[in-house]
């Protein structure tokens, strides 16, 4: 019995069967027998999360533009479906043709979050192919991975054949071209991987070796052959107007996390927040022209039928003339009752005109991220906003009828004191007071959320220690007690242990691959889901691998220590990161890229605002 027949008999007994049937609006259909390469795009989480991911949709449609490639999708099955599949002997399959993954040429993972690593291993296991790259000879799928986590790929080095560093629209096509040559020739897998390693943006870990000092720090990272580069340079798209963007985008039939049409208005961020990895790895800032954004918006609304259009980037209100853009888009969305959403607003640049524009159709929740409770700590992290910016914008929002405000902060930032934590309470209290002073009758809802600082590779804080779990608990309790005294304020916080494990995996080295295998054997999966995350299993996984997790999370690194990701070149120099780290301890801010060039080094890519290109 084929997979589809077996599967459809199971759908009545699993939660949300719509996750497994495909056939969505704009799904690509091809005859698998008439293509040269079959590519399984895998997202290591459930359907509803994966189908909210713009990168998946871009690469899915881009690859399917080629007549010689059929790109299909696979997602992590929920626990109930996994149990049914195991009982019926069904391997992991794609939604387009219900083909099992072991029949594909290429399996490509999107790595957005470190906590999905056990899901990656689980999906490989469910596919019926060996976990380790060395045990997959020619004839078995090549496993590749892209996404922000690849900027420190080392914890997954044993399992992934090729990591793609940077933006994928160009490099993935070069990779597929090479794969096609490999598939239809006598080329060995080793020769194929060697040639992959010479595609700019491709890191093949099997051609690199790591030596360690007795204290556990890294002594050296070096290529095992002179035929591969010592450093792997990330890929970027220089021109956002000429790069492919799908306007006939696959649209789910069931509700997903971000159930909306999406247009990316620009890439990169010039603000330079010192904790932010995205702000470094996606540099330089490159805008998409207003004409293209409007054109894509119109086409997406027509082709998807979505009732919400989101204009996304890392800081959408930094888009030049964002008010004009919103006004132009509203001209064709208002009649259709399509709402515009603008995630990632910055408090210092959200204008009255912009608020006027977006509130016309529906008043959304305003989400702001001050990140720190005091000006001193905001200067430390280079979050260049003033407290007055927060209050003036929130007051404006209240006057215009907004009643839901979300505020995001981080606990555990470098140099943080109790005064900084109390500062979060004071901001929430003052915002509640502003609402009272306006004499508004309806109930306001202010949500304060805190995450715990996770030092990330390639940032000025990559050398910093993370708070211990006991210290995280102390800070959370202190803030919770203070906020409980304010009416209409709700407080939630991120899991301590999850934050700890994220810090370990994000700055881990090759020794963590053994931990990941242990974790998989102990049943770890869906670690980002609170109901499944079990830190005690992870502690056992570390013990079995003889690895002290605190070595990776709680320890301060010296500037001259070799870090596991130093063979990856983001374009931003180490000297710049050190300089920024030192400025942080002096609480001295650095201007944004929009004000002046700060000499980070990424100008060598000759793209975007680094070469003076505006909208």
């Amino acid at each position: 019995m084929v997979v589809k027949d077996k599967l459809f008999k199971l759908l009545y007994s699993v939660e949300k069967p719509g996750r497994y049937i495909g056939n969505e609006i704009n799904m690509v259909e091809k005859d698998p027998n008439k293509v040269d390469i079959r590519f399984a795009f895998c997202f290591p989480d459930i359907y509803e999360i994966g189908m909210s991911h713009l990168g998946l949709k871009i690469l899915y449609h881009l690859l399917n533009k080629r007549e010689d490639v059929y790109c299909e999708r696979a997602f992590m099955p929920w626990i109930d479906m996994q149990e049914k599949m195991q009982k019926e002997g069904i391997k992991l399959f794609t939604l387009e043709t219900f083909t099992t993954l072991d029949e594909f040429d290429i399996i490509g993972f999107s790595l957005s979050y470190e906590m999905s690593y056990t899901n990656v291993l689980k999906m490989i296991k469910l596919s019926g192919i060996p976990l380790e790259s060395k045990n997959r000879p020619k004839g078995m799928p090549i496993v590749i991975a892209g996404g922000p986590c690849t900027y420190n790929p080392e914890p997954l080095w044993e399992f992934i054949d090729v990591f793609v560093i940077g933006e994928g629209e160009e490099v993935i096509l070069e990779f597929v071209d090479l794969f096609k040559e490999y598939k239809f020739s006598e080329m060995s897998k080793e020769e194929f991987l060697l040639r992959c390693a010479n595609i700019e943006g491709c890191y093949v870990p099997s051609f690199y070796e790591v030596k360690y000092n007795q204290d556990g720090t890294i002594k050296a990272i070096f290529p095992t052959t002179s035929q591969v580069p010592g450093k792997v340079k990330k890929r970027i798209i220089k021109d956002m107007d000429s790069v492919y963007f799908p306007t006939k985008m696959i649209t789910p039939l069931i509700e997903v996390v971000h159930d909306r049409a999406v247009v990316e208005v620009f890439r990169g961020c010039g603000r330079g927040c010192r904790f932010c990895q995205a702000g470094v790895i996606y540099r330089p800032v490159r805008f998409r022209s207003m004409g293209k954004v409007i054109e894509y918006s119109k086409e997406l609304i027509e082709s998807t039928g979505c009732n919400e259009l989101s204009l996304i980037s890392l800081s959408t209100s930094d888009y030049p003339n964002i008010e004009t853009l919103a006004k132009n888009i509203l001209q064709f969305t208002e009649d259709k009752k399509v709402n515009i959403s603008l995630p990632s607003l910055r408090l210092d640049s959200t204008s009255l005109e912009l608020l006027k524009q977006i509130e016309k159709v529906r008043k959304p929740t305003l989400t702001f991220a001050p990140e720190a409770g005091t000006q001193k700590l905001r200067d430390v992290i280079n979050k260049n906003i003033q407290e007055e910016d927060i209050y003036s914008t929130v007051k404006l929002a209240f006057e215009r009828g907004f009643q839901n405000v979300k505020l995001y902060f981080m606990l555990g930032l470098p140099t943080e004191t109790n005064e900084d934590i109390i500062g979060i309470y004071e901001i929430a209290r003052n915002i509640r007071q502003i609402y009272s002073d306006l004499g508004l009758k309806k109930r306001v809802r202010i949500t304060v959320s805190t995450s715990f600082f996770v030092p990330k590779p390639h940032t000025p804080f990559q050398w910093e220690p993370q708070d211990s779990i006991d210290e995280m608990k102390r800070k959370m309790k202190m803030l919770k007690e203070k906020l409980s005294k304010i009416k209409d304020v709700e407080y939630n916080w991120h899991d301590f242990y999850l934050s700890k494990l994220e810090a370990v995996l994000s700055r881990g080295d090759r020794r963590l691959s053994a931990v990941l295998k242990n974790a998989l054997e102990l049943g770890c999966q869906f670690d980002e889901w609170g109901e499944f995350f079990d830190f005690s299993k992870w502690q056992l996984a570390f013990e079995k691998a003889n690895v002290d997790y605190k070595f990776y999370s709680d320890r301060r690194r010296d500037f001259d220590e070799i870090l596991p990701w130093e063979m990856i070149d983001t374009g931003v120099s180490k000297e710049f990161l050190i300089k920024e780290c030192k400025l942080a301890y002096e609480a001295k801010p650095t201007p944004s890229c929009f004000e002046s060039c700060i000499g980070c080094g990424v100008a060598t890519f000759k793209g975007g605002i680094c070469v003076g290109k505006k909208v």
Side-chain angles (χ1 to χ4, degrees), residues 17 140 220 232 258 276 286 352 409 423 441 497 517-518 520:
M140 284 191 178
V232 178
H258 297 304
C276 182
R286 290 145 290 151
L352 171 63
F409 296 91
K441 302 297 182 188
Y497 299 98
K517 277 190 280 191
N518 292 340
L520 180 69

Side-chain angles (χ1 to χ4, degrees), residues 11 123 136 183 202 224 329 415 481 494:
L11 294 180
M123 290 179 78
R136 297 192 295 263
K183 180 178 179 180
C202 287
T224 56
I329 291 178
T415 78
E481 185 181 337
H494 199 57

Side-chain angles (χ1 to χ4, degrees), residues 149-332:
C149 290
T150 62
Y151 283 87
N152 177 20
E154 293 301 82
L156 292 172
W157 81 282
E158 272 195 274
F159 319 111
I160 306 296
D161 295 304
V162 182
F163 291 94
V164 176
I165 315 296
E167 295 161 1
E169 289 99 329
E170 292 175 348
V171 65
I172 194 67
L173 300 180
E174 294 167 26
F175 173 83
V176 165
D177 285 339
L178 178 59
F179 181 86
K180 189 173 176 180
E181 186 182 340
Y182 162 65
K183 180 178 179 180
F184 296 106
S185 72
E186 298 299 317
M187 190 188 302
S188 67
K189 180 176 177 181
E190 183 171 0
E191 186 183 350
F192 166 69
L193 292 177
L194 191 60
R195 290 182 61 181
C196 279
N198 284 280
I199 298 175
E200 190 171 282
C202 287
Y203 170 62
V204 181
S206 56
F207 292 125
Y208 295 80
E209 190 171 340
V210 181
K211 297 285 187 186
Y212 298 93
N213 295 309
Q214 284 194 339
D215 64 2
T217 58
I218 293 175
K219 186 175 184 179
I221 304 172
F222 54 91
T224 56
T225 167
S226 59
Q227 298 178 68
V228 302
K231 285 207 169 196
V232 178
K233 191 175 181 181
K234 75 173 181 182
R235 292 289 289 267
I236 70 160
I237 300 298
K238 291 183 181 176
D239 184 355
M240 290 296 291
D241 276 1
S242 60
V243 69
Y244 172 77
F245 188 80
T247 54
K248 198 174 177 182
M249 203 176 279
I250 188 165
T251 306
L253 299 175
I254 64 172
E255 186 176 357
V256 296
V257 175
H258 297 304
D259 202 0
R260 60 199 184 194
V262 175
V263 177
E264 186 183 24
V265 295
F266 68 93
R267 287 185 188 170
C269 178
R271 294 289 173 175
C273 297
R274 290 172 177 139
F275 59 84
C276 182
Q277 186 188 50
V280 174
I281 63 178
Y282 292 117
R283 289 187 182 199
V285 173
R286 290 145 290 151
F287 295 109
R288 177 163 277 143
S289 72
M290 190 175 296
K292 282 289 182 188
V293 173
I294 293 171
E295 175 190 331
Y296 294 162
S297 298
K298 285 180 179 175
E299 293 179 17
L300 275 171
I301 289 171
E302 291 299 323
S303 69
T304 64
C306 290
N307 62 5
E308 182 173 331
L309 174 70
S310 186
L311 305 179
I312 66 163
S313 71
L314 292 173
S315 181
T316 300
S317 46
D318 281 332
Y319 186 84
N321 300 317
I322 183 69
E323 297 92 346
T324 306
L325 175 63
K327 185 177 180 181
N328 285 331
I329 291 178
L330 278 165
Q331 287 179 1
F332 57 86

Side-chain angles (χ1 to χ4, degrees), residues 11-157:
L11 294 180
Y12 294 101
S13 58
V14 297
E15 182 184 346
K16 294 189 179 180
R19 290 169 172 162
Y20 310 107
I21 59 174
N23 207 31
E24 304 98 321
I25 298 166
N26 300 326
M27 186 188 87
V28 178
E29 294 183 71
K30 292 184 180 182
D31 183 347
N33 297 313
K34 294 182 178 177
V35 298
D36 294 324
I37 298 170
R38 299 190 67 184
F39 190 118
F41 195 115
C42 296
F43 197 89
D45 211 315
I46 59 170
Y47 177 89
E48 294 95 310
I49 294 176
M51 283 304 293
S52 301
H53 189 259
L54 179 61
L56 179 153
K57 295 177 180 179
I58 291 174
L59 294 180
Y60 172 79
H61 289 287
L62 173 68
L63 286 165
N64 278 318
K65 278 188 69 181
R66 291 177 60 139
E67 291 186 358
D68 58 347
V69 177
Y70 192 9
C71 179
E72 304 180 39
R73 296 159 299 141
F75 301 90
M76 181 73 164
W78 194 240
I79 305 298
D80 58 349
M81 179 55 97
Q82 286 183 36
E83 292 171 352
K84 301 285 182 187
M85 288 167 60
Q86 187 175 6
K87 188 175 178 182
E88 295 297 324
I90 301 174
K91 295 177 185 175
L92 188 57
F93 55 88
T94 58
L95 301 191
E96 277 72 11
T97 61
F98 303 97
T99 305
T100 56
L101 262 58
D102 56 343
E103 295 184 42
F104 279 78
D105 296 305
I106 302 167
I107 295 175
F109 283 97
S110 176
L111 303 178
S112 300
Y113 186 35
E114 292 86 355
M115 302 310 296
S116 69
Y117 286 176
T118 51
N119 280 10
V120 172
L121 268 59
K122 184 74 178 184
M123 290 179 78
I124 295 175
K125 190 175 179 183
L126 290 171
S127 304
I129 61 174
L131 270 183
E132 294 91 351
S133 168
K134 65 183 180 185
N135 294 328
R136 297 192 295 263
K138 184 169 184 174
M140 284 191 178
I142 292 289
V143 180
I144 67 173
C149 290
T150 62
Y151 283 87
N152 177 20
E154 293 301 82
L156 292 172
W157 81 282

